[in-house]
Amino acid sequence: MKESISIAAPVSTVVGIVADLENTDRWANEAKGAEVKARGDDGRPTQIEVTLGAIGFTTAAVYDVAYTDSSVTLTCSGDGGRLIRESTISYEAAESGDGTELTMTSTMEVTVPVPEWGLERAMGRSARKNLASVKADAERA
């Protein structure tokens, strides 16, 4: 699943919002909370536990986090078998005119029986809401 949005703010502002993982529940529709489990030498989270609520389930999943100047990537190797088998979420920001084009790419394998089309539709809807929230925050900053 891949979704993009144009944001009237610089790349650094947009990436700063996405990288604020301790407050991810402000802009990530399915996140109900986040707790930092490990930090890098620069103080940024390198591992977080996110409480997620989606498709009628609630679970806590641990994500490893990688950063570049223009991206944030979260990789989950599962949640103990409760809902998520595997998930990768990547936010990539690129200069575009006077602003930023933010692209969210997401893959997820779940442990519960959900039709692929239903999972894709739910992920797309969630991504569009998340991107709209990041846009609103970035354009207010």
PDB file of all heavy atoms in Angstrom, residues 1 3 8 15 18-19 27 34-35 42 58-59 66 69 74 77 91 99 102-103 110 113 116 123 128 137 141:
ATOM      1  N   MET A   1       0.840  -1.154   0.000  1.00  0.00           N
ATOM      2  CA  MET A   1       0.000   0.000   0.000  1.00  0.00           C
ATOM      3  C   MET A   1       0.897   1.231   0.000  1.00  0.00           C
ATOM      4  O   MET A   1       1.872   1.282   0.737  1.00  0.00           O
ATOM      5  CB  MET A   1      -0.892  -0.060   1.256  1.00  0.00           C
ATOM      6  CG  MET A   1      -1.948   0.993   1.386  1.00  0.00           C
ATOM      7  SD  MET A   1      -1.484   2.647   1.950  1.00  0.00           S
ATOM      8  CE  MET A   1      -0.303   2.380   3.207  1.00  0.00           C
ATOM      9  N   GLU A   3       0.587   5.615  -0.333  1.00  0.00           N
ATOM     10  CA  GLU A   3      -0.217   6.841  -0.404  1.00  0.00           C
ATOM     11  C   GLU A   3       0.723   8.028  -0.277  1.00  0.00           C
ATOM     12  O   GLU A   3       1.735   7.950   0.419  1.00  0.00           O
ATOM     13  CB  GLU A   3      -1.251   6.896   0.728  1.00  0.00           C
ATOM     14  CG  GLU A   3      -2.310   5.826   0.695  1.00  0.00           C
ATOM     15  CD  GLU A   3      -3.396   6.088  -0.343  1.00  0.00           C
ATOM     16  OE1 GLU A   3      -3.551   7.244  -0.790  1.00  0.00           O
ATOM     17  OE2 GLU A   3      -4.078   5.118  -0.696  1.00  0.00           O
ATOM     18  N   ALA A   8       2.489  21.919   2.475  1.00  0.00           N
ATOM     19  CA  ALA A   8       3.100  23.246   2.347  1.00  0.00           C
ATOM     20  C   ALA A   8       3.988  23.522   3.559  1.00  0.00           C
ATOM     21  O   ALA A   8       3.698  24.372   4.409  1.00  0.00           O
ATOM     22  CB  ALA A   8       2.020  24.313   2.208  1.00  0.00           C
ATOM     23  N   VAL A  15       9.441  15.708   8.373  1.00  0.00           N
ATOM     24  CA  VAL A  15      10.144  14.556   8.944  1.00  0.00           C
ATOM     25  C   VAL A  15      10.192  14.682  10.470  1.00  0.00           C
ATOM     26  O   VAL A  15      10.052  13.686  11.186  1.00  0.00           O
ATOM     27  CB  VAL A  15      11.547  14.403   8.342  1.00  0.00           C
ATOM     28  CG1 VAL A  15      12.356  13.337   9.074  1.00  0.00           C
ATOM     29  CG2 VAL A  15      11.450  14.059   6.868  1.00  0.00           C
ATOM     30  N   VAL A  18       6.876  13.312  11.809  1.00  0.00           N
ATOM     31  CA  VAL A  18       6.805  11.846  11.693  1.00  0.00           C
ATOM     32  C   VAL A  18       7.783  11.187  12.668  1.00  0.00           C
ATOM     33  O   VAL A  18       7.486  10.131  13.231  1.00  0.00           O
ATOM     34  CB  VAL A  18       7.083  11.402  10.244  1.00  0.00           C
ATOM     35  CG1 VAL A  18       7.160   9.894  10.145  1.00  0.00           C
ATOM     36  CG2 VAL A  18       6.003  11.937   9.311  1.00  0.00           C
ATOM     37  N   ALA A  19       8.936  11.809  12.904  1.00  0.00           N
ATOM     38  CA  ALA A  19       9.943  11.241  13.795  1.00  0.00           C
ATOM     39  C   ALA A  19       9.611  11.440  15.273  1.00  0.00           C
ATOM     40  O   ALA A  19      10.264  10.849  16.136  1.00  0.00           O
ATOM     41  CB  ALA A  19      11.320  11.845  13.486  1.00  0.00           C
ATOM     42  N   TRP A  27      -1.093  11.811  15.386  1.00  0.00           N
ATOM     43  CA  TRP A  27      -1.320  11.832  13.935  1.00  0.00           C
ATOM     44  C   TRP A  27      -1.514  10.453  13.319  1.00  0.00           C
ATOM     45  O   TRP A  27      -1.954  10.353  12.180  1.00  0.00           O
ATOM     46  CB  TRP A  27      -0.198  12.576  13.209  1.00  0.00           C
ATOM     47  CG  TRP A  27       1.170  12.072  13.499  1.00  0.00           C
ATOM     48  CD1 TRP A  27       2.047  12.557  14.427  1.00  0.00           C
ATOM     49  CD2 TRP A  27       1.830  10.971  12.877  1.00  0.00           C
ATOM     50  NE1 TRP A  27       3.197  11.820  14.422  1.00  0.00           N
ATOM     51  CE2 TRP A  27       3.092  10.834  13.470  1.00  0.00           C
ATOM     52  CE3 TRP A  27       1.474  10.084  11.867  1.00  0.00           C
ATOM     53  CZ2 TRP A  27       4.005   9.867  13.106  1.00  0.00           C
ATOM     54  CZ3 TRP A  27       2.381   9.100  11.494  1.00  0.00           C
ATOM     55  CH2 TRP A  27       3.637   9.011  12.113  1.00  0.00           C
ATOM     56  N   ALA A  34       2.333   5.212  22.595  1.00  0.00           N
ATOM     57  CA  ALA A  34       3.662   4.707  22.243  1.00  0.00           C
ATOM     58  C   ALA A  34       4.598   4.879  23.431  1.00  0.00           C
ATOM     59  O   ALA A  34       4.525   5.868  24.155  1.00  0.00           O
ATOM     60  CB  ALA A  34       4.216   5.442  21.031  1.00  0.00           C
ATOM     61  N   GLU A  35       5.461   3.889  23.621  1.00  0.00           N
ATOM     62  CA  GLU A  35       6.453   3.933  24.687  1.00  0.00           C
ATOM     63  C   GLU A  35       7.821   3.622  24.087  1.00  0.00           C
ATOM     64  O   GLU A  35       7.981   2.617  23.381  1.00  0.00           O
ATOM     65  CB  GLU A  35       6.114   2.895  25.748  1.00  0.00           C
ATOM     66  CG  GLU A  35       7.101   2.835  26.884  1.00  0.00           C
ATOM     67  CD  GLU A  35       6.781   1.721  27.883  1.00  0.00           C
ATOM     68  OE1 GLU A  35       5.661   1.195  27.872  1.00  0.00           O
ATOM     69  OE2 GLU A  35       7.689   1.377  28.644  1.00  0.00           O
ATOM     70  N   ASP A  42      21.910   9.724  19.505  1.00  0.00           N
ATOM     71  CA  ASP A  42      21.380  11.067  19.238  1.00  0.00           C
ATOM     72  C   ASP A  42      20.107  11.354  20.036  1.00  0.00           C
ATOM     73  O   ASP A  42      19.524  12.434  19.916  1.00  0.00           O
ATOM     74  CB  ASP A  42      21.114  11.254  17.748  1.00  0.00           C
ATOM     75  CG  ASP A  42      20.117  10.249  17.198  1.00  0.00           C
ATOM     76  OD1 ASP A  42      19.565   9.437  17.977  1.00  0.00           O
ATOM     77  OD2 ASP A  42      19.889  10.261  15.973  1.00  0.00           O
ATOM     78  N   THR A  58      -7.098  -4.816  19.404  1.00  0.00           N
ATOM     79  CA  THR A  58      -6.105  -3.960  20.048  1.00  0.00           C
ATOM     80  C   THR A  58      -4.909  -4.838  20.379  1.00  0.00           C
ATOM     81  O   THR A  58      -5.066  -5.964  20.856  1.00  0.00           O
ATOM     82  CB  THR A  58      -6.665  -3.328  21.334  1.00  0.00           C
ATOM     83  OG1 THR A  58      -7.811  -2.550  21.001  1.00  0.00           O
ATOM     84  CG2 THR A  58      -5.638  -2.430  21.993  1.00  0.00           C
ATOM     85  N   THR A  59      -3.715  -4.313  20.119  1.00  0.00           N
ATOM     86  CA  THR A  59      -2.493  -5.058  20.392  1.00  0.00           C
ATOM     87  C   THR A  59      -1.356  -4.084  20.651  1.00  0.00           C
ATOM     88  O   THR A  59      -1.464  -2.902  20.349  1.00  0.00           O
ATOM     89  CB  THR A  59      -2.141  -6.007  19.214  1.00  0.00           C
ATOM     90  OG1 THR A  59      -1.096  -6.881  19.627  1.00  0.00           O
ATOM     91  CG2 THR A  59      -1.732  -5.240  17.975  1.00  0.00           C
ATOM     92  N   ALA A  66      14.385   3.302  11.977  1.00  0.00           N
ATOM     93  CA  ALA A  66      15.568   3.788  11.266  1.00  0.00           C
ATOM     94  C   ALA A  66      15.244   5.151  10.668  1.00  0.00           C
ATOM     95  O   ALA A  66      14.107   5.391  10.231  1.00  0.00           O
ATOM     96  CB  ALA A  66      15.965   2.806  10.172  1.00  0.00           C
ATOM     97  N   ASP A  69      17.752  11.745   6.750  1.00  0.00           N
ATOM     98  CA  ASP A  69      17.318  13.145   6.789  1.00  0.00           C
ATOM     99  C   ASP A  69      15.927  13.335   6.201  1.00  0.00           C
ATOM    100  O   ASP A  69      15.263  14.321   6.498  1.00  0.00           O
ATOM    101  CB  ASP A  69      18.309  14.033   6.028  1.00  0.00           C
ATOM    102  CG  ASP A  69      19.624  14.176   6.766  1.00  0.00           C
ATOM    103  OD1 ASP A  69      19.672  13.909   7.986  1.00  0.00           O
ATOM    104  OD2 ASP A  69      20.618  14.564   6.110  1.00  0.00           O
ATOM    105  N   LEU A  74       9.703   2.174  10.149  1.00  0.00           N
ATOM    106  CA  LEU A  74       9.392   1.358  11.318  1.00  0.00           C
ATOM    107  C   LEU A  74       9.193  -0.083  10.855  1.00  0.00           C
ATOM    108  O   LEU A  74       8.425  -0.331   9.924  1.00  0.00           O
ATOM    109  CB  LEU A  74       8.120   1.859  11.998  1.00  0.00           C
ATOM    110  CG  LEU A  74       8.191   3.295  12.512  1.00  0.00           C
ATOM    111  CD1 LEU A  74       7.543   4.229  11.515  1.00  0.00           C
ATOM    112  CD2 LEU A  74       7.512   3.393  13.847  1.00  0.00           C
ATOM    113  N   SER A  77       8.489  -7.150  13.760  1.00  0.00           N
ATOM    114  CA  SER A  77       8.575  -8.579  13.457  1.00  0.00           C
ATOM    115  C   SER A  77       7.500  -9.353  14.208  1.00  0.00           C
ATOM    116  O   SER A  77       7.639 -10.537  14.457  1.00  0.00           O
ATOM    117  CB  SER A  77       9.963  -9.115  13.800  1.00  0.00           C
ATOM    118  OG  SER A  77      10.247  -8.877  15.160  1.00  0.00           O
ATOM    119  N   TYR A  91       7.920   6.326   5.881  1.00  0.00           N
ATOM    120  CA  TYR A  91       7.526   7.681   5.504  1.00  0.00           C
ATOM    121  C   TYR A  91       8.722   8.313   4.819  1.00  0.00           C
ATOM    122  O   TYR A  91       9.793   8.416   5.422  1.00  0.00           O
ATOM    123  CB  TYR A  91       7.149   8.509   6.737  1.00  0.00           C
ATOM    124  CG  TYR A  91       5.923   8.012   7.438  1.00  0.00           C
ATOM    125  CD1 TYR A  91       6.012   7.060   8.448  1.00  0.00           C
ATOM    126  CD2 TYR A  91       4.670   8.491   7.101  1.00  0.00           C
ATOM    127  CE1 TYR A  91       4.876   6.597   9.093  1.00  0.00           C
ATOM    128  CE2 TYR A  91       3.526   8.040   7.750  1.00  0.00           C
ATOM    129  CZ  TYR A  91       3.645   7.091   8.748  1.00  0.00           C
ATOM    130  OH  TYR A  91       2.526   6.636   9.390  1.00  0.00           O
ATOM    131  N   GLY A  99       7.070  23.051  -1.199  1.00  0.00           N
ATOM    132  CA  GLY A  99       6.743  22.241  -0.031  1.00  0.00           C
ATOM    133  C   GLY A  99       7.371  20.858  -0.091  1.00  0.00           C
ATOM    134  O   GLY A  99       8.485  20.680  -0.583  1.00  0.00           O
ATOM    135  N   LEU A 102       5.017  13.891   0.847  1.00  0.00           N
ATOM    136  CA  LEU A 102       5.227  12.843   1.836  1.00  0.00           C
ATOM    137  C   LEU A 102       4.557  11.565   1.341  1.00  0.00           C
ATOM    138  O   LEU A 102       3.358  11.567   1.035  1.00  0.00           O
ATOM    139  CB  LEU A 102       4.657  13.230   3.199  1.00  0.00           C
ATOM    140  CG  LEU A 102       4.831  12.192   4.312  1.00  0.00           C
ATOM    141  CD1 LEU A 102       6.315  11.952   4.618  1.00  0.00           C
ATOM    142  CD2 LEU A 102       4.102  12.645   5.583  1.00  0.00           C
ATOM    143  N   THR A 103       5.324  10.490   1.251  1.00  0.00           N
ATOM    144  CA  THR A 103       4.807   9.204   0.798  1.00  0.00           C
ATOM    145  C   THR A 103       4.917   8.196   1.933  1.00  0.00           C
ATOM    146  O   THR A 103       5.978   8.052   2.546  1.00  0.00           O
ATOM    147  CB  THR A 103       5.593   8.698  -0.425  1.00  0.00           C
ATOM    148  OG1 THR A 103       5.464   9.662  -1.480  1.00  0.00           O
ATOM    149  CG2 THR A 103       5.067   7.350  -0.903  1.00  0.00           C
ATOM    150  N   VAL A 110      -1.067 -10.204   8.783  1.00  0.00           N
ATOM    151  CA  VAL A 110      -1.756 -10.380  10.058  1.00  0.00           C
ATOM    152  C   VAL A 110      -1.974 -11.858  10.343  1.00  0.00           C
ATOM    153  O   VAL A 110      -1.954 -12.700   9.437  1.00  0.00           O
ATOM    154  CB  VAL A 110      -3.093  -9.609  10.090  1.00  0.00           C
ATOM    155  CG1 VAL A 110      -2.848  -8.107  10.007  1.00  0.00           C
ATOM    156  CG2 VAL A 110      -4.020 -10.067   8.977  1.00  0.00           C
ATOM    157  N   PRO A 113      -7.812 -14.095  10.319  1.00  0.00           N
ATOM    158  CA  PRO A 113      -8.353 -14.250   8.961  1.00  0.00           C
ATOM    159  C   PRO A 113      -9.085 -12.990   8.485  1.00  0.00           C
ATOM    160  O   PRO A 113     -10.224 -12.743   8.862  1.00  0.00           O
ATOM    161  CB  PRO A 113      -9.308 -15.440   9.097  1.00  0.00           C
ATOM    162  CG  PRO A 113      -9.694 -15.452  10.541  1.00  0.00           C
ATOM    163  CD  PRO A 113      -8.538 -14.890  11.302  1.00  0.00           C
ATOM    164  N   GLU A 116      -7.563 -10.155   2.023  1.00  0.00           N
ATOM    165  CA  GLU A 116      -6.516  -9.212   1.616  1.00  0.00           C
ATOM    166  C   GLU A 116      -7.095  -7.880   1.161  1.00  0.00           C
ATOM    167  O   GLU A 116      -6.563  -6.822   1.501  1.00  0.00           O
ATOM    168  CB  GLU A 116      -5.661  -9.828   0.505  1.00  0.00           C
ATOM    169  CG  GLU A 116      -4.442  -8.985   0.188  1.00  0.00           C
ATOM    170  CD  GLU A 116      -3.497  -9.657  -0.781  1.00  0.00           C
ATOM    171  OE1 GLU A 116      -3.425 -10.888  -0.803  1.00  0.00           O
ATOM    172  OE2 GLU A 116      -2.836  -8.908  -1.522  1.00  0.00           O
ATOM    173  N   MET A 123      -5.952  -0.368   5.457  1.00  0.00           N
ATOM    174  CA  MET A 123      -4.635   0.265   5.510  1.00  0.00           C
ATOM    175  C   MET A 123      -4.614   1.553   4.697  1.00  0.00           C
ATOM    176  O   MET A 123      -4.028   2.552   5.122  1.00  0.00           O
ATOM    177  CB  MET A 123      -3.559  -0.706   5.024  1.00  0.00           C
ATOM    178  CG  MET A 123      -3.278  -1.829   5.996  1.00  0.00           C
ATOM    179  SD  MET A 123      -2.163  -3.098   5.348  1.00  0.00           S
ATOM    180  CE  MET A 123      -0.737  -2.154   4.876  1.00  0.00           C
ATOM    181  N   ARG A 128      -4.363   7.454   4.569  1.00  0.00           N
ATOM    182  CA  ARG A 128      -4.856   8.773   4.140  1.00  0.00           C
ATOM    183  C   ARG A 128      -5.158   9.665   5.340  1.00  0.00           C
ATOM    184  O   ARG A 128      -4.821  10.857   5.345  1.00  0.00           O
ATOM    185  CB  ARG A 128      -6.066   8.615   3.236  1.00  0.00           C
ATOM    186  CG  ARG A 128      -5.701   8.069   1.847  1.00  0.00           C
ATOM    187  CD  ARG A 128      -6.865   8.046   0.877  1.00  0.00           C
ATOM    188  NE  ARG A 128      -7.902   7.097   1.256  1.00  0.00           N
ATOM    189  CZ  ARG A 128      -7.867   5.790   0.988  1.00  0.00           C
ATOM    190  NH1 ARG A 128      -6.843   5.264   0.333  1.00  0.00           N
ATOM    191  NH2 ARG A 128      -8.870   5.006   1.360  1.00  0.00           N
ATOM    192  N   ASP A 137      -0.581  19.213  10.992  1.00  0.00           N
ATOM    193  CA  ASP A 137       0.428  19.593  11.979  1.00  0.00           C
ATOM    194  C   ASP A 137       1.565  20.371  11.345  1.00  0.00           C
ATOM    195  O   ASP A 137       2.010  21.396  11.876  1.00  0.00           O
ATOM    196  CB  ASP A 137       0.993  18.360  12.678  1.00  0.00           C
ATOM    197  CG  ASP A 137       0.112  17.860  13.821  1.00  0.00           C
ATOM    198  OD1 ASP A 137      -0.990  18.417  14.036  1.00  0.00           O
ATOM    199  OD2 ASP A 137       0.528  16.890  14.482  1.00  0.00           O
ATOM    200  N   ALA A 141       2.837  24.411  11.889  1.00  0.00           N
ATOM    201  CA  ALA A 141       4.135  24.633  12.566  1.00  0.00           C
ATOM    202  C   ALA A 141       4.810  25.907  12.092  1.00  0.00           C
ATOM    203  O   ALA A 141       4.572  26.430  11.051  1.00  0.00           O
ATOM    204  CB  ALA A 141       5.054  23.452  12.331  1.00  0.00           C
TER     205      ALA A 141
END
